[in-house]
Amino acid sequence: MRITQRAQRVEPFYVMELAKAAQAMAEQAGPDARRMIYLNIGEPDFTAPPLVQAAAERAIREGRSQYTQATGLPALREAISGWYAQRFGLSIDPGRIVVTAGASMALHLACLALIEAGDEVLMPDPSYPCNRQFVQAAEGRAVMIPSGPDQRFQLSAAQVEAAWTPATRGVLLASPSNPTGTSIARDELARIARLVKSRGGVTMVDEIYLGLSYEDEFGHSALGLPDGLGDDIISINSFSKYFNMTGWRLGWLVLPPALVPAVERLAQNLFICASTIAQHAALACFAPESLAEYERRRAEFKARRDWFIPQLQRLGLDVPVMPDGAFYAWADVTRLCDRWDIAMQGTPDHPGGSWALAFELMKRCQLAATPGRDFGVAEPGRYLRFSTANSMAQLQEAIARLEAAL
């Protein structure tokens, strides 16, 4: 059977490959072995709160499961608009909001609407791996620009200007970012958006972790950029992270008004609509009781960050930039690899650095974390991503195992 070049160009999602390896190792160890601690997947340990679950059950009982408009339930678009007003002080026209089957479909639709074959999209290295695959699926090319800790692992306007070519279509940023948990400074983001606009390009910003911001300096949506710059932003968001609805597959786009009809046509043809049950359930996310629970959980995520990262630092796993959002620790493993005699450089078939270290951690500590191989090509062996989306007890046990192994 002939497989398309498009499919063959898509790299493995190494996060999931490692998760399979960790699961297999845990099963081979047997039921009496020390259980594996999974700090490799970016999924909240919280589930949808009671009002959201009740809303889903009610929708099922009442038979409200028919297709919705491709852009989503009007009431849900209104509710999302209200959240922007309440949380960020922004007035977002509900007509600019398109509800999608997860943030993945949101980004896929945006790329299909904006990227032609051969277009280049500038992205920071490191970045969430699937984002560059969406660019590639639209026949574009993701141009990864090394972005180190001195710039919070984010692109700068100077880098964008230097990398811009006649083939450049725009930029795809993430703030807060996966894997680093860092946000781009507001002034720098404005400079990038202004530069991109002057070149006739597009600025797409993955904001799926925006609700999980912990520092006032960074907890702002790109949609609120000054001088009308926010009106041209394509913002991607999700009910998965802050709203704890990962498997419900629900997200949304905020688009410039002129782009909505094209995205709606694509959505109508490609997936008709997002899950109707999930949409009815999501309406309950914005009830005062639910929002209060989400804020309590956000405080818990922050407490985990504040405890876990200093513990990593103490054990020689340096986190060069304190994450201001999300639930990740992007740790430099150079010293630990040296201590365990793991070569930082390997071969394509047997990578060194964080890839080899990840398997050592599974063997020695029964601890799964995600190596940097997924997130870029600049320094894939230097960094390891830990997810702090687990309970404090799990994080404490992980640190205890690490300390014992050292």
Side-chain angles (χ1 to χ4, degrees):
M1 180 180 295
R2 182 173 65 86
I3 307 298
T4 65
Q5 289 298 309
R6 181 189 304 109
Q8 294 183 56
R9 284 194 299 268
V10 175
E11 302 164 61
F13 192 3
Y14 291 111
V15 170
M16 305 312 294
E17 293 297 311
L18 188 126
K20 289 192 292 186
Q23 186 65 42
M25 193 176 294
E27 291 172 358
Q28 290 168 7
D32 298 326
R34 186 166 66 171
R35 61 183 177 78
M36 189 75 71
I37 295 177
Y38 297 95
L39 303 186
N40 54 322
I41 302 295
E43 181 170 34
D45 57 326
F46 300 114
T47 59
L51 287 183
V52 176
Q53 296 181 39
E57 293 170 357
R58 188 163 56 251
I60 293 170
R61 285 198 309 270
E62 295 175 0
R64 289 181 288 148
S65 57
Q66 295 82 7
Y67 295 138
T68 71
Q69 298 174 21
T71 51
L73 287 171
L76 183 56
R77 299 166 79 192
E78 292 274 0
I80 293 169
S81 173
W83 183 68
Y84 278 108
Q86 177 188 11
R87 180 70 182 269
F88 305 106
L90 298 177
S91 178
I92 304 296
D93 180 357
R96 294 176 58 192
I97 298 169
V98 176
V99 178
T100 61
S104 295
M105 181 56 75
L107 190 51
H108 189 42
L109 286 170
C111 288
L112 289 176
L114 293 166
I115 297 171
E116 298 280 12
D119 283 349
E120 296 178 349
V121 177
L122 309 181
M123 300 173 61
D125 183 339
S127 283
Y128 180 59
C130 296
N131 287 2
R132 63 181 184 267
Q133 304 302 341
F134 291 122
V135 172
Q136 186 166 278
E139 305 296 334
R141 187 171 79 89
V143 177
M144 307 294 288
I145 301 175
S147 306
D150 58 327
Q151 57 199 70
R152 304 182 56 76
F153 301 106
Q154 295 281 356
L155 286 185
S156 69
Q159 285 178 307
V160 172
E161 185 170 23
W164 199 279
T165 74
T168 304
R169 182 69 179 104
V171 298
L172 174 52
L173 311 171
S175 189
S177 166
N178 177 3
T180 66
T182 61
S183 297
I184 188 167
R186 184 175 173 83
D187 290 347
E188 195 65 33
L189 179 56
R191 282 190 285 270
I192 292 174
R194 189 173 289 111
L195 172 64
V196 172
K197 185 176 182 179
S198 74
R199 302 292 178 90
V202 295
T203 299
M204 296 181 280
V205 186
D206 174 346
E207 297 190 318
I208 71 172
Y209 294 98
L210 183 62
L212 292 174
S213 291
Y214 310 123
E215 315 296 340
D216 291 341
E217 179 183 358
F218 296 108
H220 307 281
S221 173
L223 297 166
L225 288 176
D227 304 323
L229 292 171
D231 297 338
D232 295 317
I233 296 292
I234 291 91
S235 173
I236 298 96
N237 218 311
S238 173
F239 284 91
S240 290
K241 309 303 181 179
Y242 177 71
F243 295 103
N244 308 153
M245 295 176 68
T246 51
W248 301 67
R249 306 316 301 135
L250 199 62
W252 74 86
L253 284 161
V254 180
L255 302 166
L259 190 56
V260 172
V263 169
E264 182 176 8
R265 288 196 303 274
L266 287 166
Q268 288 169 337
N269 284 278
L270 294 180
F271 68 100
I272 302 179
C273 67
S275 163
T276 303
I277 300 301
Q279 290 189 65
H280 282 295
L283 285 168
C285 290
F286 304 102
E289 180 181 328
S290 296
L291 289 173
E293 176 61 16
Y294 287 130
E295 285 301 286
R296 186 194 68 76
R297 295 176 180 185
R298 181 167 71 104
E300 175 62 23
F301 282 128
K302 181 178 182 295
R304 296 172 185 179
R305 177 202 70 167
D306 292 346
W307 183 84
F308 187 74
I309 290 179
Q311 297 299 318
L312 288 181
Q313 306 271 33
R314 180 176 62 84
L315 296 177
L317 286 157
D318 182 45
V319 179
V321 184
M322 185 70 162
D324 57 84
F327 34 61
Y328 301 114
W330 188 236
D332 188 328
V333 300
T334 304
R335 283 194 284 171
L336 183 52
C337 284
D338 182 62
R339 185 167 180 175
W340 283 358
D341 198 27
I342 295 172
M344 292 301 292
Q345 301 296 326
T347 66
D349 292 333
H350 300 283
S354 62
W355 180 263
L357 177 64
F359 284 87
E360 282 299 311
L361 288 174
M362 287 191 285
K363 293 174 187 174
R364 299 189 189 203
C365 306
Q366 290 71 56
L367 173 60
T370 302
R373 186 178 182 183
D374 246 337
F375 304 102
V377 296
E379 294 184 296
R382 182 176 174 184
Y383 293 99
L384 190 71
R385 190 195 73 177
F386 293 91
S387 169
T388 55
N390 283 41
S391 69
M392 186 68 84
Q394 291 270 293
L395 298 177
Q396 290 169 341
E397 175 62 19
I399 291 296
R401 293 185 188 182
L402 269 172
E403 189 163 23
L406 293 171

